[in-house]
Amino acid sequence: AQTVTQSQPEMSVQEAETVTLSCTYDTSESDYYLFWYKQPPSRQMILVIRQEAYKQQNATENRFSVNFQKAAKSFSLKISDSQLGDAAMYFCALAENAGKSTFGDGTTLTVKP
Amino acid sequence: EAGVAQSPRYKIIEKRQSVAFWCNPISGHATLYWYQQILGQGPKLLIQFQNNGVVDDSQLPKDRFSAERLKGVDSTLKIQPAKLEDSAVYLCASSLSPAGGGTDTQYFGPGTRLTVL
């Protein structure tokens, strides 16, 4: 069975600073995908960034980047130059090729002005 | 492009009553998901459709929950009878790919917040 663990229920960061959210996972598959989704308060969940397990290069999307450590089964999200609009709950998710998706329990990020 | 639509947005019912949720995915998306998100937890997959066939329903409490996706487009999720522990947000999502759909980016609807009294 696949599992996703987010060990930080809450994190805070000062505006314009950098913050890293942690995620570890477990799967018996060698081919899978990892995602970070953002869920702002009372708003829809949207994709932040995705990583294919077969790619060694870490994914980046503007101010968002990941540190993917396949052997350690670790997938952290780094947010640079944090903005007030980054405040949200962030979910790490794992999807195997067979299709089933598993989400972590989320990290609530607070951005302080 | 229109997003994933869900209705109703909010529902309050008494325990043992029945309730139904509706989802309209993004046009052309083959895969549709229903998740249950209990307060303070991450979404838990209830059922995944690929077109109008079920890919995974291993976590769907089949004694009280049912779901269908007619003509591979809209979907309904029903709970009958509801229990107190069913209070949650029910999220619908869709993704484009008809194969290995879980690995595609999922697009989420706004969710239906269910309160069972």
Side-chain angles (χ1 to χ4, degrees):
Chain A
Q2 54 183 359
T3 61
V4 176
T5 302
Q6 293 180 248
S7 59
Q8 306 155 317
E10 297 178 352
M11 291 284 285
S12 67
V13 63
Q14 207 70 32
E15 195 175 6
E17 298 292 308
T18 296
V19 64
T20 298
L21 309 184
S22 301
C23 173
T24 58
Y25 62 93
D26 192 24
T27 176
S28 57
E29 299 292 324
S30 58
D31 190 13
Y32 53 88
Y33 291 70
L34 293 159
F35 304 82
W36 279 98
Y37 285 91
K38 170 184 177 181
Q39 188 175 42
S42 302
R43 292 182 62 188
Q44 292 170 228
M45 193 166 332
I46 58 172
L47 177 72
V48 175
I49 198 164
R50 61 178 274 159
Q51 173 82 43
E52 292 85 349
Y54 63 86
K55 290 186 177 179
Q56 292 186 335
Q57 187 172 6
N58 289 325
T60 62
E61 286 289 343
N62 301 314
R63 298 182 294 108
F64 299 87
S65 62
V66 298
N67 184 4
F68 174 46
Q69 301 289 328
K70 191 171 184 178
K73 294 184 177 176
S74 171
F75 183 62
S76 61
L77 174 70
K78 185 171 83 171
I79 306 173
S80 304
D81 186 25
S82 297
Q83 301 175 0
L84 295 177
D86 294 334
M89 181 163 277
Y90 287 80
F91 292 97
C92 178
L94 164 68
E96 297 172 349
N97 239 347
K100 182 175 178 180
S101 296
T102 300
F103 284 72
D105 282 337
T107 297
T108 300
L109 178 66
T110 301
V111 181
K112 298 178 181 178
Chain B
E1 178 182 77
V4 176
Q6 289 188 249
S7 67
R9 293 294 309 276
Y10 305 91
K11 190 73 177 180
I12 301 174
I13 61 173
E14 301 278 337
K15 60 182 178 182
R16 291 188 290 274
Q17 286 186 323
S18 62
V19 64
F21 312 127
W22 173 82
C23 173
N24 179 238
I26 293 173
S27 177
H29 279 198
T31 308
L32 185 147
Y33 316 77
W34 282 104
Y35 290 91
Q36 179 192 59
Q37 186 177 17
I38 293 173
L39 186 65
Q41 298 180 17
K44 182 182 84 171
L45 180 67
L46 293 176
I47 189 166
Q48 178 180 337
F49 293 95
Q50 188 169 296
N51 296 310
N52 59 350
V54 176
V55 173
D56 185 343
D57 64 355
S58 57
Q59 299 190 95
L60 186 74
K62 298 180 184 65
D63 57 335
R64 298 184 302 105
F65 285 64
S66 64
E68 61 180 4
R69 188 181 185 195
L70 299 176
K71 300 181 181 178
V73 183
D74 292 7
S75 177
T76 56
L77 175 70
K78 297 179 182 178
I79 307 175
Q80 182 179 12
K83 293 185 175 181
L84 297 177
E85 59 260 37
D86 297 332
S87 294
V89 175
Y90 291 84
L91 297 169
C92 179
S94 69
S95 65
L96 180 61
S97 176
T103 60
D104 273 359
T105 297
Q106 297 181 39
Y107 296 84
F108 287 81
T112 296
R113 183 176 299 277
L114 173 66
T115 301
V116 182
L117 303 175

